[in-house]
Amino acid sequence: MIAVGIVCLILMAITGVLCLVRIIRGPATLDRTVAADVFVSAMAGSIAIEAAVGRHTTTLPILVVLAFVGFLGSVSIARFAARDEMADDDGSYPGTEDNR
């Protein structure tokens, strides 16, 4: 069981490093967002592996908080990107013009 845990943690570490590279080099904001979401998932997976190998449940609240933060971060950036794409060339948003 310990050997499997070590192999899984090594794979999670490689995933984390590759995600950090994509966050730094990512050509677009959405690429960085996806990499950050995968990084948070890899952190949660690493904590879950550590909890399984150590046979304790005290890290469950940390996993819940990480999942919640990752979800909120992804949704907020996706909403921001969608709103940014909806903006007209002059910076205004459709339906907000002043019709007096």
Side-chain angles (χ1 to χ4, degrees):
M1 179 71 173
I2 293 176
V4 173
I6 290 172
V7 169
C8 290
L9 286 175
I10 289 171
L11 291 174
M12 288 293 179
I14 292 170
T15 302
V17 169
L18 291 174
C19 287
L20 286 176
V21 168
R22 179 50 59 193
I23 290 171
I24 293 170
R25 294 184 56 211
T29 303
L30 293 179
D31 292 330
R32 290 183 171 112
T33 302
V34 170
D37 194 31
V38 172
F39 184 73
V40 170
S41 298
M43 284 179 20
S46 298
I47 293 172
I49 292 168
E50 188 274 327
V53 170
R55 296 185 186 268
H56 54 84
T57 59
T58 56
T59 56
L60 185 62
I62 295 171
L63 291 173
V64 171
V65 168
L66 272 176
F68 188 66
V69 167
F71 172 74
L72 283 180
S74 296
V75 168
S76 63
I77 291 175
R79 287 190 66 177
F80 175 74
R83 184 175 177 204
D84 215 22
E85 288 178 4
M86 281 180 38
D88 290 338
D89 292 337
D90 61 353
S92 64
Y93 294 97
T96 59
E97 56 272 348
D98 195 10
N99 295 329
R100 292 184 204 181

PDB file of all heavy atoms in Angstrom, residues 55-79:
ATOM      1  N   ARG A  55      -4.513   6.404   6.758  1.00  0.00           N
ATOM      2  CA  ARG A  55      -5.742   5.862   7.346  1.00  0.00           C
ATOM      3  C   ARG A  55      -6.367   6.800   8.392  1.00  0.00           C
ATOM      4  O   ARG A  55      -6.651   6.399   9.514  1.00  0.00           O
ATOM      5  CB  ARG A  55      -5.501   4.494   7.954  1.00  0.00           C
ATOM      6  CG  ARG A  55      -5.118   3.462   6.938  1.00  0.00           C
ATOM      7  CD  ARG A  55      -5.002   2.100   7.594  1.00  0.00           C
ATOM      8  NE  ARG A  55      -4.492   1.125   6.666  1.00  0.00           N
ATOM      9  CZ  ARG A  55      -5.260   0.346   5.899  1.00  0.00           C
ATOM     10  NH1 ARG A  55      -6.557   0.432   5.963  1.00  0.00           N
ATOM     11  NH2 ARG A  55      -4.707  -0.516   5.075  1.00  0.00           N
ATOM     12  N   HIS A  56      -6.559   8.054   7.984  1.00  0.00           N
ATOM     13  CA  HIS A  56      -7.251   9.000   8.867  1.00  0.00           C
ATOM     14  C   HIS A  56      -8.192   9.871   8.047  1.00  0.00           C
ATOM     15  O   HIS A  56      -8.046  10.024   6.838  1.00  0.00           O
ATOM     16  CB  HIS A  56      -6.261   9.857   9.658  1.00  0.00           C
ATOM     17  CG  HIS A  56      -5.265  10.575   8.813  1.00  0.00           C
ATOM     18  ND1 HIS A  56      -5.529  11.761   8.220  1.00  0.00           N
ATOM     19  CD2 HIS A  56      -3.991  10.257   8.471  1.00  0.00           C
ATOM     20  CE1 HIS A  56      -4.472  12.161   7.536  1.00  0.00           C
ATOM     21  NE2 HIS A  56      -3.523  11.263   7.660  1.00  0.00           N
ATOM     22  N   THR A  57      -9.183  10.433   8.715  1.00  0.00           N
ATOM     23  CA  THR A  57     -10.204  11.228   8.037  1.00  0.00           C
ATOM     24  C   THR A  57     -10.183  12.699   8.460  1.00  0.00           C
ATOM     25  O   THR A  57     -11.117  13.428   8.156  1.00  0.00           O
ATOM     26  CB  THR A  57     -11.598  10.660   8.336  1.00  0.00           C
ATOM     27  OG1 THR A  57     -11.823  10.674   9.748  1.00  0.00           O
ATOM     28  CG2 THR A  57     -11.729   9.253   7.799  1.00  0.00           C
ATOM     29  N   THR A  58      -9.131  13.113   9.123  1.00  0.00           N
ATOM     30  CA  THR A  58      -9.087  14.498   9.602  1.00  0.00           C
ATOM     31  C   THR A  58      -8.879  15.503   8.476  1.00  0.00           C
ATOM     32  O   THR A  58      -9.096  16.695   8.677  1.00  0.00           O
ATOM     33  CB  THR A  58      -7.970  14.676  10.644  1.00  0.00           C
ATOM     34  OG1 THR A  58      -6.728  14.265  10.061  1.00  0.00           O
ATOM     35  CG2 THR A  58      -8.260  13.844  11.880  1.00  0.00           C
ATOM     36  N   THR A  59      -8.476  15.054   7.300  1.00  0.00           N
ATOM     37  CA  THR A  59      -8.246  15.979   6.192  1.00  0.00           C
ATOM     38  C   THR A  59      -9.475  16.155   5.301  1.00  0.00           C
ATOM     39  O   THR A  59      -9.403  16.877   4.311  1.00  0.00           O
ATOM     40  CB  THR A  59      -7.075  15.488   5.320  1.00  0.00           C
ATOM     41  OG1 THR A  59      -7.354  14.171   4.877  1.00  0.00           O
ATOM     42  CG2 THR A  59      -5.778  15.515   6.096  1.00  0.00           C
ATOM     43  N   LEU A  60     -10.574  15.532   5.646  1.00  0.00           N
ATOM     44  CA  LEU A  60     -11.783  15.655   4.838  1.00  0.00           C
ATOM     45  C   LEU A  60     -12.276  17.101   4.712  1.00  0.00           C
ATOM     46  O   LEU A  60     -12.634  17.529   3.604  1.00  0.00           O
ATOM     47  CB  LEU A  60     -12.887  14.752   5.384  1.00  0.00           C
ATOM     48  CG  LEU A  60     -14.163  14.693   4.567  1.00  0.00           C
ATOM     49  CD1 LEU A  60     -13.878  14.131   3.177  1.00  0.00           C
ATOM     50  CD2 LEU A  60     -15.208  13.870   5.269  1.00  0.00           C
ATOM     51  N   PRO A  61     -12.288  17.900   5.781  1.00  0.00           N
ATOM     52  CA  PRO A  61     -12.699  19.304   5.605  1.00  0.00           C
ATOM     53  C   PRO A  61     -11.783  20.079   4.657  1.00  0.00           C
ATOM     54  O   PRO A  61     -12.254  20.941   3.902  1.00  0.00           O
ATOM     55  CB  PRO A  61     -12.623  19.886   7.018  1.00  0.00           C
ATOM     56  CG  PRO A  61     -12.751  18.712   7.915  1.00  0.00           C
ATOM     57  CD  PRO A  61     -12.106  17.571   7.202  1.00  0.00           C
ATOM     58  N   ILE A  62     -10.504  19.758   4.652  1.00  0.00           N
ATOM     59  CA  ILE A  62      -9.576  20.427   3.736  1.00  0.00           C
ATOM     60  C   ILE A  62      -9.925  20.070   2.297  1.00  0.00           C
ATOM     61  O   ILE A  62      -9.911  20.927   1.410  1.00  0.00           O
ATOM     62  CB  ILE A  62      -8.121  20.041   4.062  1.00  0.00           C
ATOM     63  CG1 ILE A  62      -7.747  20.554   5.444  1.00  0.00           C
ATOM     64  CG2 ILE A  62      -7.157  20.586   3.025  1.00  0.00           C
ATOM     65  CD1 ILE A  62      -6.417  20.052   5.944  1.00  0.00           C
ATOM     66  N   LEU A  63     -10.265  18.814   2.057  1.00  0.00           N
ATOM     67  CA  LEU A  63     -10.648  18.395   0.709  1.00  0.00           C
ATOM     68  C   LEU A  63     -11.924  19.095   0.251  1.00  0.00           C
ATOM     69  O   LEU A  63     -12.030  19.503  -0.906  1.00  0.00           O
ATOM     70  CB  LEU A  63     -10.831  16.880   0.667  1.00  0.00           C
ATOM     71  CG  LEU A  63      -9.568  16.045   0.823  1.00  0.00           C
ATOM     72  CD1 LEU A  63      -9.908  14.573   0.928  1.00  0.00           C
ATOM     73  CD2 LEU A  63      -8.630  16.298  -0.330  1.00  0.00           C
ATOM     74  N   VAL A  64     -12.874  19.236   1.141  1.00  0.00           N
ATOM     75  CA  VAL A  64     -14.125  19.916   0.797  1.00  0.00           C
ATOM     76  C   VAL A  64     -13.862  21.376   0.459  1.00  0.00           C
ATOM     77  O   VAL A  64     -14.392  21.914  -0.531  1.00  0.00           O
ATOM     78  CB  VAL A  64     -15.154  19.770   1.942  1.00  0.00           C
ATOM     79  CG1 VAL A  64     -16.361  20.648   1.705  1.00  0.00           C
ATOM     80  CG2 VAL A  64     -15.566  18.318   2.104  1.00  0.00           C
ATOM     81  N   VAL A  65     -13.048  22.039   1.249  1.00  0.00           N
ATOM     82  CA  VAL A  65     -12.734  23.453   1.005  1.00  0.00           C
ATOM     83  C   VAL A  65     -11.974  23.607  -0.309  1.00  0.00           C
ATOM     84  O   VAL A  65     -12.255  24.519  -1.107  1.00  0.00           O
ATOM     85  CB  VAL A  65     -11.949  24.048   2.192  1.00  0.00           C
ATOM     86  CG1 VAL A  65     -11.369  25.401   1.843  1.00  0.00           C
ATOM     87  CG2 VAL A  65     -12.845  24.157   3.405  1.00  0.00           C
ATOM     88  N   LEU A  66     -11.007  22.738  -0.575  1.00  0.00           N
ATOM     89  CA  LEU A  66     -10.271  22.812  -1.841  1.00  0.00           C
ATOM     90  C   LEU A  66     -11.192  22.604  -3.042  1.00  0.00           C
ATOM     91  O   LEU A  66     -11.073  23.307  -4.053  1.00  0.00           O
ATOM     92  CB  LEU A  66      -9.156  21.764  -1.869  1.00  0.00           C
ATOM     93  CG  LEU A  66      -7.817  22.180  -1.290  1.00  0.00           C
ATOM     94  CD1 LEU A  66      -6.859  21.004  -1.292  1.00  0.00           C
ATOM     95  CD2 LEU A  66      -7.240  23.337  -2.052  1.00  0.00           C
ATOM     96  N   ALA A  67     -12.104  21.664  -2.950  1.00  0.00           N
ATOM     97  CA  ALA A  67     -13.046  21.439  -4.042  1.00  0.00           C
ATOM     98  C   ALA A  67     -13.935  22.657  -4.242  1.00  0.00           C
ATOM     99  O   ALA A  67     -14.199  23.071  -5.385  1.00  0.00           O
ATOM    100  CB  ALA A  67     -13.887  20.203  -3.758  1.00  0.00           C
ATOM    101  N   PHE A  68     -14.388  23.259  -3.159  1.00  0.00           N
ATOM    102  CA  PHE A  68     -15.255  24.433  -3.247  1.00  0.00           C
ATOM    103  C   PHE A  68     -14.507  25.629  -3.833  1.00  0.00           C
ATOM    104  O   PHE A  68     -15.030  26.328  -4.708  1.00  0.00           O
ATOM    105  CB  PHE A  68     -15.807  24.769  -1.855  1.00  0.00           C
ATOM    106  CG  PHE A  68     -16.847  25.845  -1.855  1.00  0.00           C
ATOM    107  CD1 PHE A  68     -18.067  25.638  -2.466  1.00  0.00           C
ATOM    108  CD2 PHE A  68     -16.599  27.057  -1.242  1.00  0.00           C
ATOM    109  CE1 PHE A  68     -19.029  26.637  -2.484  1.00  0.00           C
ATOM    110  CE2 PHE A  68     -17.554  28.056  -1.244  1.00  0.00           C
ATOM    111  CZ  PHE A  68     -18.775  27.849  -1.870  1.00  0.00           C
ATOM    112  N   VAL A  69     -13.291  25.859  -3.383  1.00  0.00           N
ATOM    113  CA  VAL A  69     -12.500  26.980  -3.894  1.00  0.00           C
ATOM    114  C   VAL A  69     -12.174  26.784  -5.372  1.00  0.00           C
ATOM    115  O   VAL A  69     -12.249  27.721  -6.169  1.00  0.00           O
ATOM    116  CB  VAL A  69     -11.221  27.165  -3.050  1.00  0.00           C
ATOM    117  CG1 VAL A  69     -10.229  28.089  -3.720  1.00  0.00           C
ATOM    118  CG2 VAL A  69     -11.574  27.687  -1.679  1.00  0.00           C
ATOM    119  N   GLY A  70     -11.822  25.555  -5.748  1.00  0.00           N
ATOM    120  CA  GLY A  70     -11.540  25.284  -7.154  1.00  0.00           C
ATOM    121  C   GLY A  70     -12.753  25.517  -8.031  1.00  0.00           C
ATOM    122  O   GLY A  70     -12.664  26.100  -9.114  1.00  0.00           O
ATOM    123  N   PHE A  71     -13.916  25.082  -7.574  1.00  0.00           N
ATOM    124  CA  PHE A  71     -15.147  25.273  -8.331  1.00  0.00           C
ATOM    125  C   PHE A  71     -15.481  26.752  -8.452  1.00  0.00           C
ATOM    126  O   PHE A  71     -15.793  27.239  -9.548  1.00  0.00           O
ATOM    127  CB  PHE A  71     -16.299  24.522  -7.663  1.00  0.00           C
ATOM    128  CG  PHE A  71     -17.633  24.809  -8.271  1.00  0.00           C
ATOM    129  CD1 PHE A  71     -17.974  24.270  -9.496  1.00  0.00           C
ATOM    130  CD2 PHE A  71     -18.541  25.629  -7.618  1.00  0.00           C
ATOM    131  CE1 PHE A  71     -19.210  24.546 -10.072  1.00  0.00           C
ATOM    132  CE2 PHE A  71     -19.765  25.905  -8.180  1.00  0.00           C
ATOM    133  CZ  PHE A  71     -20.101  25.362  -9.416  1.00  0.00           C
ATOM    134  N   LEU A  72     -15.430  27.481  -7.358  1.00  0.00           N
ATOM    135  CA  LEU A  72     -15.760  28.910  -7.404  1.00  0.00           C
ATOM    136  C   LEU A  72     -14.785  29.684  -8.277  1.00  0.00           C
ATOM    137  O   LEU A  72     -15.188  30.599  -9.008  1.00  0.00           O
ATOM    138  CB  LEU A  72     -15.778  29.497  -5.996  1.00  0.00           C
ATOM    139  CG  LEU A  72     -17.002  29.191  -5.162  1.00  0.00           C
ATOM    140  CD1 LEU A  72     -16.879  29.852  -3.792  1.00  0.00           C
ATOM    141  CD2 LEU A  72     -18.262  29.662  -5.849  1.00  0.00           C
ATOM    142  N   GLY A  73     -13.512  29.340  -8.208  1.00  0.00           N
ATOM    143  CA  GLY A  73     -12.529  30.018  -9.047  1.00  0.00           C
ATOM    144  C   GLY A  73     -12.778  29.787 -10.522  1.00  0.00           C
ATOM    145  O   GLY A  73     -12.732  30.719 -11.333  1.00  0.00           O
ATOM    146  N   SER A  74     -13.071  28.556 -10.882  1.00  0.00           N
ATOM    147  CA  SER A  74     -13.326  28.233 -12.289  1.00  0.00           C
ATOM    148  C   SER A  74     -14.587  28.922 -12.797  1.00  0.00           C
ATOM    149  O   SER A  74     -14.600  29.479 -13.900  1.00  0.00           O
ATOM    150  CB  SER A  74     -13.467  26.726 -12.468  1.00  0.00           C
ATOM    151  OG  SER A  74     -12.266  26.093 -12.141  1.00  0.00           O
ATOM    152  N   VAL A  75     -15.632  28.902 -12.004  1.00  0.00           N
ATOM    153  CA  VAL A  75     -16.890  29.523 -12.431  1.00  0.00           C
ATOM    154  C   VAL A  75     -16.741  31.036 -12.547  1.00  0.00           C
ATOM    155  O   VAL A  75     -17.224  31.643 -13.512  1.00  0.00           O
ATOM    156  CB  VAL A  75     -18.031  29.151 -11.452  1.00  0.00           C
ATOM    157  CG1 VAL A  75     -19.260  29.999 -11.696  1.00  0.00           C
ATOM    158  CG2 VAL A  75     -18.369  27.684 -11.584  1.00  0.00           C
ATOM    159  N   SER A  76     -16.067  31.657 -11.609  1.00  0.00           N
ATOM    160  CA  SER A  76     -15.930  33.112 -11.664  1.00  0.00           C
ATOM    161  C   SER A  76     -15.076  33.550 -12.849  1.00  0.00           C
ATOM    162  O   SER A  76     -15.406  34.537 -13.524  1.00  0.00           O
ATOM    163  CB  SER A  76     -15.350  33.650 -10.358  1.00  0.00           C
ATOM    164  OG  SER A  76     -14.052  33.141 -10.156  1.00  0.00           O
ATOM    165  N   ILE A  77     -14.020  32.827 -13.154  1.00  0.00           N
ATOM    166  CA  ILE A  77     -13.195  33.196 -14.301  1.00  0.00           C
ATOM    167  C   ILE A  77     -13.942  32.923 -15.597  1.00  0.00           C
ATOM    168  O   ILE A  77     -13.841  33.695 -16.558  1.00  0.00           O
ATOM    169  CB  ILE A  77     -11.841  32.471 -14.247  1.00  0.00           C
ATOM    170  CG1 ILE A  77     -11.030  33.030 -13.078  1.00  0.00           C
ATOM    171  CG2 ILE A  77     -11.068  32.635 -15.542  1.00  0.00           C
ATOM    172  CD1 ILE A  77      -9.732  32.338 -12.835  1.00  0.00           C
ATOM    173  N   ALA A  78     -14.709  31.830 -15.656  1.00  0.00           N
ATOM    174  CA  ALA A  78     -15.492  31.549 -16.861  1.00  0.00           C
ATOM    175  C   ALA A  78     -16.548  32.630 -17.085  1.00  0.00           C
ATOM    176  O   ALA A  78     -16.776  33.057 -18.225  1.00  0.00           O
ATOM    177  CB  ALA A  78     -16.149  30.182 -16.741  1.00  0.00           C
ATOM    178  N   ARG A  79     -17.191  33.096 -16.026  1.00  0.00           N
ATOM    179  CA  ARG A  79     -18.186  34.174 -16.172  1.00  0.00           C
ATOM    180  C   ARG A  79     -17.518  35.468 -16.608  1.00  0.00           C
ATOM    181  O   ARG A  79     -18.042  36.210 -17.434  1.00  0.00           O
ATOM    182  CB  ARG A  79     -18.930  34.390 -14.860  1.00  0.00           C
ATOM    183  CG  ARG A  79     -19.917  33.277 -14.578  1.00  0.00           C
ATOM    184  CD  ARG A  79     -20.782  33.612 -13.433  1.00  0.00           C
ATOM    185  NE  ARG A  79     -21.638  34.758 -13.804  1.00  0.00           N
ATOM    186  CZ  ARG A  79     -22.552  35.257 -13.031  1.00  0.00           C
ATOM    187  NH1 ARG A  79     -22.765  34.739 -11.838  1.00  0.00           N
ATOM    188  NH2 ARG A  79     -23.271  36.285 -13.411  1.00  0.00           N
TER     189      ARG A  79
END
